[in-house]
Amino acid sequence: MKFEAATIKDIAIALGLSTSTVSRALRDSHEISIATKQLVLEYATRINYHPNPIALSLKEKRSRSIGVIVAEIANSFFSQAINGIESVAKDKGYNVMISQTHESFDKEVMTLQYLASRSIDGLLISVSSGTENLDHLKALHERGFPIVFFDRIVEEIQTHKVMVDNFRGAYDATLHLINKGYKHIAVIAGPENLSISRERIAGYREALAHTRVKPGKALIKYSRYAGLQLQEVEQAVSQLLKLRPRPDAIFTASDKLTTNCMRVLKSKGIRIPQDIALVGFSNSDLIELLHPPLTVVRQPAFEMGQIATNLLLQLIESKKPVKEFERKILNTSLIVQASS
């Protein structure tokens, strides 16, 4: 049997009322008596009646849905950010449509087109590692479509942006390694086109500059897919291990790079931290269970998701065009454990 949702007409027939009376009762109109409202609401609850979201969106000219585009939902940072997004959206009566790019620019374009065709009211996006051409985002933005960038931002589009202090997080991690006595510190970051990669490399360089150490180019490796592909991390680690002197510590600049770097080092029989220390960005809840437990730069992902969503809903619900935008920069925290 095909499922059919209960309608206002069903309630009206069952209670012997007009559809307009039922509709006004459900909207808590002052024109309807308290007794009739109670009768309608009790019956609506009993038959599990819910307003038709499509009909509501046509009436309000709003879908009460927002789109979210991230690189990978399984990534602990993004999953925590999504939890923050949903906590705010649900409280404000919005649905959330989530898509992932798997670091593919083409997938990002296709996903954005799909979400826009579903009449979402606005978009939260952390761009893919392959995103250099911004035409797909600019086209929507120029038509007044609300967009908020979080984590991986782009400067060319003027809107709200929410991120962490990537420079400081990388600086603190590198300085920690320096203070622990490590002399040859390598770094593996995401692609150079990403804002977070450039900022984290800059923090790494600045920490080394305080010790008057200028890192050679061979100590800095970039990952086109931000660690999502294990073979890329294997190649970077293998190149570092061939250097003389060999690095005695590695700083990894993203969640996937950190865990996959640890995986590669162990597969090669490298002891952590006895042979090479490891410090990286990670929001995984399992770092304490690893052997050894990882020293990580942790980001306030849940809070970032909440702030970004509130800013997006402000854009969506504003009665006039918004011309002043906020740039929210959140602090990271360094959690020191046995890997360094």
PDB file of all heavy atoms in Angstrom, residues 61-69 94-98 111-124 140 145-147 312 316:
ATOM      1  N   LYS A  61       7.832  31.374   0.351  1.00  0.00           N
ATOM      2  CA  LYS A  61       8.927  31.617  -0.600  1.00  0.00           C
ATOM      3  C   LYS A  61      10.275  31.302   0.050  1.00  0.00           C
ATOM      4  O   LYS A  61      11.269  31.977  -0.156  1.00  0.00           O
ATOM      5  CB  LYS A  61       8.893  33.066  -1.104  1.00  0.00           C
ATOM      6  CG  LYS A  61       7.641  33.397  -1.911  1.00  0.00           C
ATOM      7  CD  LYS A  61       7.686  34.795  -2.470  1.00  0.00           C
ATOM      8  CE  LYS A  61       6.430  35.078  -3.292  1.00  0.00           C
ATOM      9  NZ  LYS A  61       6.415  36.450  -3.838  1.00  0.00           N
ATOM     10  N   ARG A  62      10.255  30.261   0.868  1.00  0.00           N
ATOM     11  CA  ARG A  62      11.456  29.824   1.564  1.00  0.00           C
ATOM     12  C   ARG A  62      11.316  28.337   1.868  1.00  0.00           C
ATOM     13  O   ARG A  62      10.244  27.886   2.268  1.00  0.00           O
ATOM     14  CB  ARG A  62      11.631  30.613   2.857  1.00  0.00           C
ATOM     15  CG  ARG A  62      12.934  30.349   3.580  1.00  0.00           C
ATOM     16  CD  ARG A  62      13.009  31.135   4.874  1.00  0.00           C
ATOM     17  NE  ARG A  62      13.013  32.580   4.634  1.00  0.00           N
ATOM     18  CZ  ARG A  62      12.907  33.481   5.595  1.00  0.00           C
ATOM     19  NH1 ARG A  62      12.750  33.085   6.851  1.00  0.00           N
ATOM     20  NH2 ARG A  62      12.935  34.760   5.312  1.00  0.00           N
ATOM     21  N   SER A  63      12.384  27.578   1.651  1.00  0.00           N
ATOM     22  CA  SER A  63      12.314  26.129   1.864  1.00  0.00           C
ATOM     23  C   SER A  63      12.607  25.724   3.305  1.00  0.00           C
ATOM     24  O   SER A  63      12.359  24.602   3.696  1.00  0.00           O
ATOM     25  CB  SER A  63      13.315  25.422   0.945  1.00  0.00           C
ATOM     26  OG  SER A  63      14.648  25.729   1.331  1.00  0.00           O
ATOM     27  N   ARG A  64      13.184  26.666   4.078  1.00  0.00           N
ATOM     28  CA  ARG A  64      13.651  26.369   5.433  1.00  0.00           C
ATOM     29  C   ARG A  64      14.614  25.191   5.431  1.00  0.00           C
ATOM     30  O   ARG A  64      14.593  24.337   6.316  1.00  0.00           O
ATOM     31  CB  ARG A  64      12.475  26.148   6.388  1.00  0.00           C
ATOM     32  CG  ARG A  64      11.545  27.346   6.503  1.00  0.00           C
ATOM     33  CD  ARG A  64      10.681  27.306   7.730  1.00  0.00           C
ATOM     34  NE  ARG A  64      11.437  27.567   8.936  1.00  0.00           N
ATOM     35  CZ  ARG A  64      11.783  28.797   9.386  1.00  0.00           C
ATOM     36  NH1 ARG A  64      11.449  29.865   8.672  1.00  0.00           N
ATOM     37  NH2 ARG A  64      12.458  28.946  10.498  1.00  0.00           N
ATOM     38  N   SER A  65      15.454  25.169   4.416  1.00  0.00           N
ATOM     39  CA  SER A  65      16.528  24.170   4.302  1.00  0.00           C
ATOM     40  C   SER A  65      17.821  24.881   3.943  1.00  0.00           C
ATOM     41  O   SER A  65      17.811  25.851   3.176  1.00  0.00           O
ATOM     42  CB  SER A  65      16.206  23.135   3.228  1.00  0.00           C
ATOM     43  OG  SER A  65      15.064  22.380   3.553  1.00  0.00           O
ATOM     44  N   ILE A  66      18.924  24.410   4.508  1.00  0.00           N
ATOM     45  CA  ILE A  66      20.231  24.943   4.137  1.00  0.00           C
ATOM     46  C   ILE A  66      21.116  23.802   3.637  1.00  0.00           C
ATOM     47  O   ILE A  66      20.956  22.655   4.054  1.00  0.00           O
ATOM     48  CB  ILE A  66      20.918  25.671   5.311  1.00  0.00           C
ATOM     49  CG1 ILE A  66      21.144  24.726   6.498  1.00  0.00           C
ATOM     50  CG2 ILE A  66      20.118  26.894   5.721  1.00  0.00           C
ATOM     51  CD1 ILE A  66      21.976  25.345   7.614  1.00  0.00           C
ATOM     52  N   GLY A  67      22.016  24.124   2.734  1.00  0.00           N
ATOM     53  CA  GLY A  67      22.947  23.138   2.209  1.00  0.00           C
ATOM     54  C   GLY A  67      24.290  23.236   2.906  1.00  0.00           C
ATOM     55  O   GLY A  67      24.704  24.328   3.326  1.00  0.00           O
ATOM     56  N   VAL A  68      24.955  22.102   3.042  1.00  0.00           N
ATOM     57  CA  VAL A  68      26.298  22.048   3.638  1.00  0.00           C
ATOM     58  C   VAL A  68      27.184  21.218   2.717  1.00  0.00           C
ATOM     59  O   VAL A  68      26.826  20.082   2.374  1.00  0.00           O
ATOM     60  CB  VAL A  68      26.284  21.421   5.048  1.00  0.00           C
ATOM     61  CG1 VAL A  68      27.700  21.361   5.618  1.00  0.00           C
ATOM     62  CG2 VAL A  68      25.375  22.199   5.984  1.00  0.00           C
ATOM     63  N   ILE A  69      28.318  21.780   2.318  1.00  0.00           N
ATOM     64  CA  ILE A  69      29.265  21.054   1.475  1.00  0.00           C
ATOM     65  C   ILE A  69      30.599  20.974   2.207  1.00  0.00           C
ATOM     66  O   ILE A  69      31.187  21.997   2.569  1.00  0.00           O
ATOM     67  CB  ILE A  69      29.452  21.723   0.100  1.00  0.00           C
ATOM     68  CG1 ILE A  69      28.130  21.762  -0.665  1.00  0.00           C
ATOM     69  CG2 ILE A  69      30.504  20.979  -0.714  1.00  0.00           C
ATOM     70  CD1 ILE A  69      28.221  22.445  -2.025  1.00  0.00           C
ATOM     71  N   TYR A  94      15.135  24.757  10.716  1.00  0.00           N
ATOM     72  CA  TYR A  94      15.677  24.525   9.371  1.00  0.00           C
ATOM     73  C   TYR A  94      16.154  23.083   9.221  1.00  0.00           C
ATOM     74  O   TYR A  94      16.693  22.492  10.170  1.00  0.00           O
ATOM     75  CB  TYR A  94      16.860  25.455   9.095  1.00  0.00           C
ATOM     76  CG  TYR A  94      16.462  26.871   8.747  1.00  0.00           C
ATOM     77  CD1 TYR A  94      16.080  27.770   9.745  1.00  0.00           C
ATOM     78  CD2 TYR A  94      16.461  27.316   7.428  1.00  0.00           C
ATOM     79  CE1 TYR A  94      15.709  29.074   9.449  1.00  0.00           C
ATOM     80  CE2 TYR A  94      16.091  28.618   7.115  1.00  0.00           C
ATOM     81  CZ  TYR A  94      15.714  29.491   8.126  1.00  0.00           C
ATOM     82  OH  TYR A  94      15.350  30.775   7.809  1.00  0.00           O
ATOM     83  N   ASN A  95      15.956  22.533   8.032  1.00  0.00           N
ATOM     84  CA  ASN A  95      16.517  21.233   7.691  1.00  0.00           C
ATOM     85  C   ASN A  95      17.912  21.432   7.098  1.00  0.00           C
ATOM     86  O   ASN A  95      18.227  22.487   6.559  1.00  0.00           O
ATOM     87  CB  ASN A  95      15.631  20.519   6.670  1.00  0.00           C
ATOM     88  CG  ASN A  95      14.262  20.188   7.234  1.00  0.00           C
ATOM     89  OD1 ASN A  95      14.153  19.615   8.306  1.00  0.00           O
ATOM     90  ND2 ASN A  95      13.219  20.574   6.520  1.00  0.00           N
ATOM     91  N   VAL A  96      18.739  20.394   7.189  1.00  0.00           N
ATOM     92  CA  VAL A  96      20.114  20.470   6.692  1.00  0.00           C
ATOM     93  C   VAL A  96      20.333  19.386   5.643  1.00  0.00           C
ATOM     94  O   VAL A  96      20.068  18.213   5.896  1.00  0.00           O
ATOM     95  CB  VAL A  96      21.135  20.298   7.837  1.00  0.00           C
ATOM     96  CG1 VAL A  96      22.568  20.368   7.296  1.00  0.00           C
ATOM     97  CG2 VAL A  96      20.926  21.354   8.911  1.00  0.00           C
ATOM     98  N   MET A  97      20.799  19.790   4.465  1.00  0.00           N
ATOM     99  CA  MET A  97      21.130  18.855   3.389  1.00  0.00           C
ATOM    100  C   MET A  97      22.655  18.833   3.248  1.00  0.00           C
ATOM    101  O   MET A  97      23.274  19.853   2.925  1.00  0.00           O
ATOM    102  CB  MET A  97      20.468  19.292   2.079  1.00  0.00           C
ATOM    103  CG  MET A  97      18.947  19.343   2.154  1.00  0.00           C
ATOM    104  SD  MET A  97      18.184  19.952   0.628  1.00  0.00           S
ATOM    105  CE  MET A  97      18.564  18.583  -0.482  1.00  0.00           C
ATOM    106  N   ILE A  98      23.261  17.671   3.521  1.00  0.00           N
ATOM    107  CA  ILE A  98      24.723  17.560   3.594  1.00  0.00           C
ATOM    108  C   ILE A  98      25.267  16.801   2.385  1.00  0.00           C
ATOM    109  O   ILE A  98      24.751  15.743   2.018  1.00  0.00           O
ATOM    110  CB  ILE A  98      25.135  16.836   4.891  1.00  0.00           C
ATOM    111  CG1 ILE A  98      24.565  17.569   6.111  1.00  0.00           C
ATOM    112  CG2 ILE A  98      26.655  16.736   4.998  1.00  0.00           C
ATOM    113  CD1 ILE A  98      24.616  16.761   7.386  1.00  0.00           C
ATOM    114  N   THR A 111      27.608  19.114  -6.955  1.00  0.00           N
ATOM    115  CA  THR A 111      26.860  19.118  -5.700  1.00  0.00           C
ATOM    116  C   THR A 111      26.174  20.457  -5.476  1.00  0.00           C
ATOM    117  O   THR A 111      25.008  20.511  -5.055  1.00  0.00           O
ATOM    118  CB  THR A 111      27.811  18.822  -4.520  1.00  0.00           C
ATOM    119  OG1 THR A 111      28.324  17.492  -4.659  1.00  0.00           O
ATOM    120  CG2 THR A 111      27.096  18.935  -3.192  1.00  0.00           C
ATOM    121  N   LEU A 112      26.880  21.534  -5.778  1.00  0.00           N
ATOM    122  CA  LEU A 112      26.300  22.862  -5.611  1.00  0.00           C
ATOM    123  C   LEU A 112      25.101  23.060  -6.540  1.00  0.00           C
ATOM    124  O   LEU A 112      24.070  23.614  -6.134  1.00  0.00           O
ATOM    125  CB  LEU A 112      27.358  23.934  -5.876  1.00  0.00           C
ATOM    126  CG  LEU A 112      26.924  25.379  -5.643  1.00  0.00           C
ATOM    127  CD1 LEU A 112      26.443  25.581  -4.221  1.00  0.00           C
ATOM    128  CD2 LEU A 112      28.058  26.332  -5.959  1.00  0.00           C
ATOM    129  N   GLN A 113      25.230  22.591  -7.759  1.00  0.00           N
ATOM    130  CA  GLN A 113      24.124  22.695  -8.712  1.00  0.00           C
ATOM    131  C   GLN A 113      22.915  21.903  -8.215  1.00  0.00           C
ATOM    132  O   GLN A 113      21.769  22.360  -8.325  1.00  0.00           O
ATOM    133  CB  GLN A 113      24.565  22.193 -10.091  1.00  0.00           C
ATOM    134  CG  GLN A 113      25.577  23.094 -10.774  1.00  0.00           C
ATOM    135  CD  GLN A 113      26.135  22.493 -12.042  1.00  0.00           C
ATOM    136  OE1 GLN A 113      26.048  21.276 -12.278  1.00  0.00           O
ATOM    137  NE2 GLN A 113      26.758  23.312 -12.874  1.00  0.00           N
ATOM    138  N   TYR A 114      23.165  20.727  -7.665  1.00  0.00           N
ATOM    139  CA  TYR A 114      22.073  19.891  -7.155  1.00  0.00           C
ATOM    140  C   TYR A 114      21.373  20.581  -5.985  1.00  0.00           C
ATOM    141  O   TYR A 114      20.135  20.678  -5.945  1.00  0.00           O
ATOM    142  CB  TYR A 114      22.598  18.529  -6.708  1.00  0.00           C
ATOM    143  CG  TYR A 114      21.568  17.714  -5.970  1.00  0.00           C
ATOM    144  CD1 TYR A 114      20.569  17.027  -6.663  1.00  0.00           C
ATOM    145  CD2 TYR A 114      21.575  17.645  -4.578  1.00  0.00           C
ATOM    146  CE1 TYR A 114      19.602  16.301  -5.987  1.00  0.00           C
ATOM    147  CE2 TYR A 114      20.615  16.916  -3.891  1.00  0.00           C
ATOM    148  CZ  TYR A 114      19.632  16.244  -4.602  1.00  0.00           C
ATOM    149  OH  TYR A 114      18.674  15.532  -3.925  1.00  0.00           O
ATOM    150  N   LEU A 115      22.160  21.075  -5.024  1.00  0.00           N
ATOM    151  CA  LEU A 115      21.559  21.717  -3.856  1.00  0.00           C
ATOM    152  C   LEU A 115      20.772  22.965  -4.246  1.00  0.00           C
ATOM    153  O   LEU A 115      19.678  23.208  -3.731  1.00  0.00           O
ATOM    154  CB  LEU A 115      22.649  22.073  -2.837  1.00  0.00           C
ATOM    155  CG  LEU A 115      23.288  20.901  -2.088  1.00  0.00           C
ATOM    156  CD1 LEU A 115      24.429  21.384  -1.210  1.00  0.00           C
ATOM    157  CD2 LEU A 115      22.259  20.158  -1.247  1.00  0.00           C
ATOM    158  N   ALA A 116      21.333  23.751  -5.163  1.00  0.00           N
ATOM    159  CA  ALA A 116      20.635  24.962  -5.606  1.00  0.00           C
ATOM    160  C   ALA A 116      19.312  24.606  -6.285  1.00  0.00           C
ATOM    161  O   ALA A 116      18.310  25.315  -6.138  1.00  0.00           O
ATOM    162  CB  ALA A 116      21.524  25.764  -6.542  1.00  0.00           C
ATOM    163  N   SER A 117      19.304  23.475  -7.005  1.00  0.00           N
ATOM    164  CA  SER A 117      18.072  23.053  -7.690  1.00  0.00           C
ATOM    165  C   SER A 117      17.014  22.569  -6.710  1.00  0.00           C
ATOM    166  O   SER A 117      15.835  22.496  -7.048  1.00  0.00           O
ATOM    167  CB  SER A 117      18.384  21.926  -8.689  1.00  0.00           C
ATOM    168  OG  SER A 117      18.656  20.706  -8.024  1.00  0.00           O
ATOM    169  N   ARG A 118      17.438  22.233  -5.488  1.00  0.00           N
ATOM    170  CA  ARG A 118      16.486  21.792  -4.454  1.00  0.00           C
ATOM    171  C   ARG A 118      15.942  22.986  -3.669  1.00  0.00           C
ATOM    172  O   ARG A 118      15.269  22.815  -2.662  1.00  0.00           O
ATOM    173  CB  ARG A 118      17.142  20.803  -3.471  1.00  0.00           C
ATOM    174  CG  ARG A 118      17.900  19.657  -4.100  1.00  0.00           C
ATOM    175  CD  ARG A 118      17.116  18.935  -5.156  1.00  0.00           C
ATOM    176  NE  ARG A 118      15.994  18.177  -4.621  1.00  0.00           N
ATOM    177  CZ  ARG A 118      15.140  17.506  -5.374  1.00  0.00           C
ATOM    178  NH1 ARG A 118      15.257  17.525  -6.692  1.00  0.00           N
ATOM    179  NH2 ARG A 118      14.154  16.831  -4.819  1.00  0.00           N
ATOM    180  N   SER A 119      16.261  24.191  -4.124  1.00  0.00           N
ATOM    181  CA  SER A 119      15.735  25.426  -3.527  1.00  0.00           C
ATOM    182  C   SER A 119      16.129  25.605  -2.066  1.00  0.00           C
ATOM    183  O   SER A 119      15.309  25.998  -1.229  1.00  0.00           O
ATOM    184  CB  SER A 119      14.204  25.479  -3.660  1.00  0.00           C
ATOM    185  OG  SER A 119      13.829  25.436  -5.010  1.00  0.00           O
ATOM    186  N   ILE A 120      17.379  25.335  -1.747  1.00  0.00           N
ATOM    187  CA  ILE A 120      17.856  25.627  -0.406  1.00  0.00           C
ATOM    188  C   ILE A 120      17.885  27.141  -0.214  1.00  0.00           C
ATOM    189  O   ILE A 120      17.988  27.902  -1.170  1.00  0.00           O
ATOM    190  CB  ILE A 120      19.253  25.026  -0.152  1.00  0.00           C
ATOM    191  CG1 ILE A 120      20.264  25.503  -1.206  1.00  0.00           C
ATOM    192  CG2 ILE A 120      19.193  23.507  -0.076  1.00  0.00           C
ATOM    193  CD1 ILE A 120      21.697  25.102  -0.915  1.00  0.00           C
ATOM    194  N   ASP A 121      17.802  27.576   1.038  1.00  0.00           N
ATOM    195  CA  ASP A 121      17.779  29.006   1.333  1.00  0.00           C
ATOM    196  C   ASP A 121      19.171  29.606   1.440  1.00  0.00           C
ATOM    197  O   ASP A 121      19.330  30.833   1.369  1.00  0.00           O
ATOM    198  CB  ASP A 121      17.031  29.263   2.640  1.00  0.00           C
ATOM    199  CG  ASP A 121      15.561  28.874   2.545  1.00  0.00           C
ATOM    200  OD1 ASP A 121      15.002  28.950   1.445  1.00  0.00           O
ATOM    201  OD2 ASP A 121      14.988  28.478   3.583  1.00  0.00           O
ATOM    202  N   GLY A 122      20.173  28.773   1.653  1.00  0.00           N
ATOM    203  CA  GLY A 122      21.534  29.275   1.807  1.00  0.00           C
ATOM    204  C   GLY A 122      22.517  28.124   1.872  1.00  0.00           C
ATOM    205  O   GLY A 122      22.122  26.953   1.923  1.00  0.00           O
ATOM    206  N   LEU A 123      23.814  28.451   1.893  1.00  0.00           N
ATOM    207  CA  LEU A 123      24.860  27.428   1.795  1.00  0.00           C
ATOM    208  C   LEU A 123      25.989  27.684   2.774  1.00  0.00           C
ATOM    209  O   LEU A 123      26.489  28.806   2.899  1.00  0.00           O
ATOM    210  CB  LEU A 123      25.432  27.409   0.372  1.00  0.00           C
ATOM    211  CG  LEU A 123      26.613  26.459   0.124  1.00  0.00           C
ATOM    212  CD1 LEU A 123      26.140  25.004   0.129  1.00  0.00           C
ATOM    213  CD2 LEU A 123      27.287  26.796  -1.207  1.00  0.00           C
ATOM    214  N   LEU A 124      26.407  26.622   3.464  1.00  0.00           N
ATOM    215  CA  LEU A 124      27.639  26.603   4.244  1.00  0.00           C
ATOM    216  C   LEU A 124      28.629  25.732   3.489  1.00  0.00           C
ATOM    217  O   LEU A 124      28.297  24.588   3.146  1.00  0.00           O
ATOM    218  CB  LEU A 124      27.399  26.013   5.636  1.00  0.00           C
ATOM    219  CG  LEU A 124      26.510  26.818   6.578  1.00  0.00           C
ATOM    220  CD1 LEU A 124      26.134  25.972   7.791  1.00  0.00           C
ATOM    221  CD2 LEU A 124      27.211  28.086   7.026  1.00  0.00           C
ATOM    222  N   LEU A 140      26.359  32.286  -7.973  1.00  0.00           N
ATOM    223  CA  LEU A 140      25.281  32.279  -6.986  1.00  0.00           C
ATOM    224  C   LEU A 140      25.331  33.524  -6.100  1.00  0.00           C
ATOM    225  O   LEU A 140      24.312  34.157  -5.826  1.00  0.00           O
ATOM    226  CB  LEU A 140      25.369  31.028  -6.116  1.00  0.00           C
ATOM    227  CG  LEU A 140      24.812  29.721  -6.685  1.00  0.00           C
ATOM    228  CD1 LEU A 140      25.051  28.595  -5.706  1.00  0.00           C
ATOM    229  CD2 LEU A 140      23.326  29.833  -7.000  1.00  0.00           C
ATOM    230  N   PHE A 145      22.496  35.038  -3.453  1.00  0.00           N
ATOM    231  CA  PHE A 145      22.299  33.788  -2.713  1.00  0.00           C
ATOM    232  C   PHE A 145      23.191  33.784  -1.464  1.00  0.00           C
ATOM    233  O   PHE A 145      24.394  34.013  -1.559  1.00  0.00           O
ATOM    234  CB  PHE A 145      22.654  32.591  -3.604  1.00  0.00           C
ATOM    235  CG  PHE A 145      22.348  31.265  -2.983  1.00  0.00           C
ATOM    236  CD1 PHE A 145      21.046  30.801  -2.912  1.00  0.00           C
ATOM    237  CD2 PHE A 145      23.360  30.470  -2.465  1.00  0.00           C
ATOM    238  CE1 PHE A 145      20.761  29.578  -2.339  1.00  0.00           C
ATOM    239  CE2 PHE A 145      23.083  29.249  -1.896  1.00  0.00           C
ATOM    240  CZ  PHE A 145      21.774  28.799  -1.833  1.00  0.00           C
ATOM    241  N   PRO A 146      22.630  33.528  -0.261  1.00  0.00           N
ATOM    242  CA  PRO A 146      23.426  33.564   0.979  1.00  0.00           C
ATOM    243  C   PRO A 146      24.439  32.417   1.054  1.00  0.00           C
ATOM    244  O   PRO A 146      24.079  31.243   0.954  1.00  0.00           O
ATOM    245  CB  PRO A 146      22.370  33.416   2.077  1.00  0.00           C
ATOM    246  CG  PRO A 146      21.072  33.803   1.435  1.00  0.00           C
ATOM    247  CD  PRO A 146      21.190  33.329   0.012  1.00  0.00           C
ATOM    248  N   ILE A 147      25.703  32.762   1.228  1.00  0.00           N
ATOM    249  CA  ILE A 147      26.788  31.785   1.356  1.00  0.00           C
ATOM    250  C   ILE A 147      27.667  32.189   2.531  1.00  0.00           C
ATOM    251  O   ILE A 147      28.004  33.367   2.688  1.00  0.00           O
ATOM    252  CB  ILE A 147      27.655  31.717   0.080  1.00  0.00           C
ATOM    253  CG1 ILE A 147      26.822  31.316  -1.137  1.00  0.00           C
ATOM    254  CG2 ILE A 147      28.820  30.746   0.267  1.00  0.00           C
ATOM    255  CD1 ILE A 147      27.588  31.371  -2.453  1.00  0.00           C
ATOM    256  N   LEU A 312      24.809  32.404   8.747  1.00  0.00           N
ATOM    257  CA  LEU A 312      24.054  32.119   7.521  1.00  0.00           C
ATOM    258  C   LEU A 312      22.577  32.446   7.698  1.00  0.00           C
ATOM    259  O   LEU A 312      21.955  33.052   6.817  1.00  0.00           O
ATOM    260  CB  LEU A 312      24.218  30.653   7.117  1.00  0.00           C
ATOM    261  CG  LEU A 312      23.457  30.246   5.845  1.00  0.00           C
ATOM    262  CD1 LEU A 312      23.991  30.998   4.628  1.00  0.00           C
ATOM    263  CD2 LEU A 312      23.546  28.732   5.615  1.00  0.00           C
ATOM    264  N   ILE A 316      20.013  34.852   5.594  1.00  0.00           N
ATOM    265  CA  ILE A 316      18.770  34.358   5.006  1.00  0.00           C
ATOM    266  C   ILE A 316      17.574  35.187   5.475  1.00  0.00           C
ATOM    267  O   ILE A 316      16.684  35.528   4.686  1.00  0.00           O
ATOM    268  CB  ILE A 316      18.566  32.869   5.365  1.00  0.00           C
ATOM    269  CG1 ILE A 316      19.612  31.997   4.648  1.00  0.00           C
ATOM    270  CG2 ILE A 316      17.155  32.408   5.011  1.00  0.00           C
ATOM    271  CD1 ILE A 316      19.640  30.554   5.128  1.00  0.00           C
TER     272      ILE A 316
END
